[in-house]
Amino acid sequence: MKESTVYNCTIIELDKHHHEKGNISVVENNETIPFGVQRTYYLYDIPGGESRGGHAHKELQQLIIAASGSFSVTVDDGNVKRTFLLNRPYQGLLIVPGIWRELYDFSSGSVCLVLASHKYEEADYIRSYEEFLEYKRI
Ligand code: TYD
């Protein structure tokens, strides 16, 4: 989506069911998030100082959750950048298509859970920042 902006990327507050034995947060397709989940993956054992992302997607929507620990996400639409600190397992960052993202400052032992609207497709990635800027300008 060429017209998307970082202001379309928002924190979604998930409901939090509190139990004495622990908490539960829930994500429901097309209710909590504006898409249906086709794929779930998670990043873990991330070495200190490492960054992830460094790409955009043409169609993919994602909800990114710090299931454990914390990390920062910078989103960039080619004009404006916004940085979100994710450090609550009951909050998710919605990233719409056409947004460059960087994930960094992972705390030790953190887990980044990603709910995605489509299956893995390398053709959906834009991995060059120059190409991304051209894509957004057209
Ligand atoms: P990538 O999305 O580039 O990583 P990140 O954004 O977390 O830095 O994925 C890294 C590699 O993992 C990619 O080259 C192929 C593989 N991969 C899959 O095979 N399936 C998937 O669903 C994902 C997300 C990645």
Side-chain angles (χ1 to χ4, degrees):
M1 208 204 298
K2 299 175 196 295
E3 312 82 21
S4 61
T5 78
V6 292
Y7 300 107
N8 303 124
C9 298
T10 52
I11 294 287
I12 293 179
E13 295 283 334
L14 310 177
D15 56 356
K16 182 178 166 190
H17 301 278
H18 180 70
H19 289 269
E20 288 150 28
K21 296 180 182 178
N23 299 327
I24 300 176
S25 289
V26 180
V27 177
E28 289 187 335
N29 285 346
N30 303 306
E31 299 276 344
T32 325
I33 50 176
F35 61 87
V37 176
Q38 294 283 339
R39 176 168 54 115
T40 301
Y41 62 93
Y42 43 98
L43 312 177
Y44 55 97
D45 288 348
I46 302 151
E50 198 52 80
S51 66
R52 304 291 302 247
H55 59 253
H57 288 280
K58 296 174 191 162
E59 300 293 336
L60 191 74
Q61 297 192 68
Q62 291 163 305
L63 187 76
I64 299 186
I65 299 168
S68 185
S70 65
F71 51 87
S72 293
V73 185
T74 296
V75 291
D76 175 356
D77 59 21
N79 268 321
V80 178
K81 292 183 185 182
R82 290 175 81 189
T83 295
F84 297 88
L85 173 66
L86 295 184
N87 59 358
R88 301 277 183 257
Y90 51 84
Q91 290 178 338
L93 174 63
L94 176 70
I95 304 191
V96 297
I99 298 291
W100 190 267
R101 89 288 313 278
E102 307 274 355
L103 288 73
Y104 53 96
D105 280 352
F106 292 90
S107 67
S108 174
S110 59
V111 178
C112 170
L113 173 63
V114 182
L115 310 183
S117 62
H118 293 83
K119 291 186 178 162
Y120 176 75
E121 204 184 335
E122 187 55 38
D124 188 62
Y125 281 75
I126 303 172
R127 291 195 183 272
S128 146
Y129 191 68
E130 291 304 308
E131 205 181 300
F132 170 68
L133 291 179
E134 275 173 35
Y135 175 81
K136 295 298 274 186
R137 273 191 213 110
I138 295 166

